[in-house]
Amino acid sequence: MNRETVVLSTTSDFSGWRAWARKLLHERVAADSIRWIVKNPADLYAPSATRVLPAAPSTTSVPRSLAALFPAVFVSEAPERFRLLYITLQTLRDNLPVPDELAERLTGLATESRKRVLDLRCQMPDARNPDWQVVRTFHASALIDSQAAALADLRPAPWVITAPERTLCWNGQEYLFGPGLEGDISNSSEVIAAARNIATAGAGNVWWHGIAPVRLHPDATDIASSSSLPGLRGKAIDCRMCDLCGPATRTVSGEGNPAARIIFVGEQPGDQEDLQGRPFVGPAGQLFDRALKEAGGNRAQAWITNAVKHFKFVPKGNRRIHQKPDAAEITACSPWLATERKILAPKVTVMLGVTGASAVLGRQVTVSRERSRHIPLADGSIGLVTVHPSYLLRLPDEESKTREYTKFVTDLRMAISALAG
């Protein structure tokens, strides 16, 4: 029997596998006649490189539910993964049902890969420290490669990932791939310098084009099952619970002290929050920080989040104009906030504005009627409604700004004093 040998450039070379699989399926080459091997080309880590892949018409239509498994199966460490995926395409090409045993095997491999994806994401620090951060891991290079874009969304500030067979750098603008670091370097500054020196393959190197991202596709049940804040954040980056995920840059999760006894719930990320991947860092966030400090609070000891995790806006020239989320969008995002509060179990929840209050209380709220008083919450904790700091920025004159800012600080001081009760 004649055998076809297909050489892939890396274990994450999904575009190469797909191009060759399409050609071989078109030529009706049987799965048992194909030998898939991985061999790194000489210019794999060069700043620029070219490549020629075979071109052939597609002979197969893959159901969406099955197609969603392919990237996760591809980055698994199962030796037979390339063959299993090819057999799946071959079966579909011949208009045959995918055997239950094969479907179960693919699902099992995909499930294990997604668990490892979440584990890697949980290792990623948030962006509170804007300096370069180092993440040391033992995950397989294919899985790391599949998460490059997601990890850049999780932490827009610079970072380095080092693993035995892969170095991945994100400099805040692009990610660059390199081989594993040689030797045992303990000093973080030296790791960063060495990683940036060897991670040189980026957008100009075609060997790294077409890496299939592995997504987690969280639903309400999956969200509710989360038991840690890093796990919740790792899942949230793939949120598709409503249409706001399309135009927004990224999901913006809460941040702060995971042992916080007080949390602050705002409306949604703004322009700067969307870009920086952090809640309350724009003008309203800066005002909030000043007021909280004046009230005797400390942001580093609190948890800051929003009812809606994506920025809703309309473009106007070079600007993005904030739009208020509607009831459907607040409802769609509610599992994230509910699980966040369940994990944190705070003593006091401060609701900043009508959207934050409505999301926590589960009903329509008029801030002027309900602010500045303790509200018993269903979990036995204390709630307090006040204005959103962006309201203070919109006031027309200095006199009203000063008056309302003083009331806002008083509300925050009331919330902080409730911690001692």
Side-chain angles (χ1 to χ4, degrees):
M1 177 177 66
N2 293 329
R3 293 183 66 86
E4 286 272 2
T5 297
V6 177
V7 180
L8 304 178
S9 61
T10 66
T11 51
S12 56
D13 185 11
F14 188 76
S15 59
W17 176 86
R18 182 175 53 196
W20 278 105
R22 182 174 290 181
K23 176 180 183 294
L24 298 173
L25 286 165
H26 181 67
E27 296 173 354
R28 307 196 73 81
V29 177
D32 291 340
S33 300
I34 306 170
R35 184 167 69 110
W36 304 91
I37 64 173
V38 176
K39 183 178 180 181
N40 299 160
D43 55 355
L44 181 63
Y45 298 112
S48 62
T50 58
R51 179 189 199 184
V52 178
L53 287 172
S58 175
T59 58
T60 308
S61 177
V62 184
R64 182 176 298 180
S65 59
L66 199 55
L69 301 176
F70 271 50
V73 173
F74 194 85
V75 305
S76 73
E77 298 178 60
E80 74 277 20
R81 62 195 183 280
F82 303 143
R83 179 176 176 273
L84 289 175
L85 292 173
Y86 186 86
I87 290 173
T88 304
L89 294 180
Q90 184 177 263
T91 303
L92 293 170
R93 179 203 62 192
D94 296 337
N95 295 316
L96 297 173
V98 175
D100 291 343
E101 183 179 353
L102 176 56
E104 290 172 4
R105 177 64 172 149
L106 296 178
T107 300
L109 291 175
T111 299
E112 289 303 311
S113 288
R114 288 173 180 150
K115 288 179 181 177
R116 288 192 286 270
V117 161
L118 185 59
D119 180 73
L120 175 60
R121 292 182 183 184
C122 286
Q123 293 182 254
M124 182 60 60
D126 63 31
R128 280 178 290 175
N129 183 345
D131 297 332
W132 282 82
Q133 298 291 300
V134 175
V135 176
R136 304 170 194 263
T137 187
F138 288 93
H139 285 293
S141 55
L143 185 133
I144 293 170
D145 298 345
S146 78
Q147 294 306 293
L151 296 176
D153 280 346
L154 266 176
R155 178 183 160 83
W159 46 260
V160 166
I161 290 179
T162 66
E165 296 181 355
R166 179 72 73 242
T167 298
L168 178 62
C169 290
W170 166 254
N171 61 16
Q173 296 181 331
E174 64 174 340
Y175 34 83
L176 298 167
F177 300 89
L181 290 175
E182 295 183 1
D184 184 16
I185 307 174
S186 58
N187 182 276
S188 293
S189 297
E190 293 179 8
V191 170
I192 292 165
R196 297 184 71 183
N197 186 54
I198 66 171
T200 52
N205 187 321
V206 76
W207 294 111
W208 297 95
H209 294 184
I211 297 172
V214 178
R215 299 295 188 185
L216 300 183
H217 310 292
D219 58 21
T221 301
D222 189 44
I223 295 166
S225 71
S226 302
S227 58
S228 74
L229 294 168
L232 193 67
R233 173 172 167 255
K235 293 175 182 178
I237 209 69
D238 286 336
C239 181
R240 298 294 183 270
M241 302 284 281
C242 73
D243 293 338
L244 295 185
C245 63
T249 307
R250 57 177 54 82
T251 310
V252 181
S253 293
E255 71 169 33
N257 184 349
R261 299 173 66 221
I262 185 169
I263 72 170
F264 296 87
V265 181
E267 179 185 86
Q268 65 168 343
D271 180 74
Q272 285 302 308
E273 288 80 5
D274 176 73
L275 296 175
Q276 297 183 41
R278 300 183 58 204
F280 281 78
V281 292
Q286 293 166 25
L287 189 150
F288 168 77
D289 287 349
R290 178 162 62 91
L292 182 62
K293 185 176 182 181
E294 190 172 327
N298 183 347
R299 177 165 174 152
Q301 296 303 315
W303 187 265
I304 317 294
T305 192
N306 282 298
V308 174
K309 311 301 187 187
H310 285 108
F311 179 32
K312 182 177 182 179
F313 63 92
V314 292
K316 187 176 182 181
N318 294 327
R319 300 174 61 203
R320 300 189 297 176
I321 307 301
H322 164 277
Q323 296 288 293
K324 189 177 181 66
D326 60 31
E329 291 154 350
I330 296 169
T331 299
C333 220
S334 61
W336 295 111
L337 180 60
T339 305
E340 198 172 14
R341 292 188 65 244
K342 181 184 70 175
I343 294 171
L344 285 159
K347 182 174 182 179
V348 178
T349 298
V350 182
M351 296 158 268
L352 304 170
V354 65
T355 300
S358 298
V360 173
L361 299 176
R363 57 178 171 80
Q364 291 295 317
V365 172
T366 301
V367 171
S368 61
R369 293 177 184 172
E370 305 203 45
R371 73 177 295 185
S372 307
R373 65 181 178 89
H374 292 177
I375 300 173
L377 301 180
D379 59 3
S381 63
I382 299 168
L384 187 142
V385 175
T386 187
V387 296
H388 194 283
S390 63
Y391 161 75
L392 305 177
L393 296 176
R394 296 193 300 269
L395 292 172
D397 58 82
E398 290 304 316
E399 181 180 352
S400 57
K401 285 182 178 180
T402 300
R403 182 181 65 252
E404 290 301 319
Y405 177 79
T406 300
K407 291 173 62 178
F408 182 57
V409 172
T410 299
D411 285 345
L412 298 184
R413 191 175 288 124
M414 180 186 297
I416 293 166
S417 67
L419 291 174

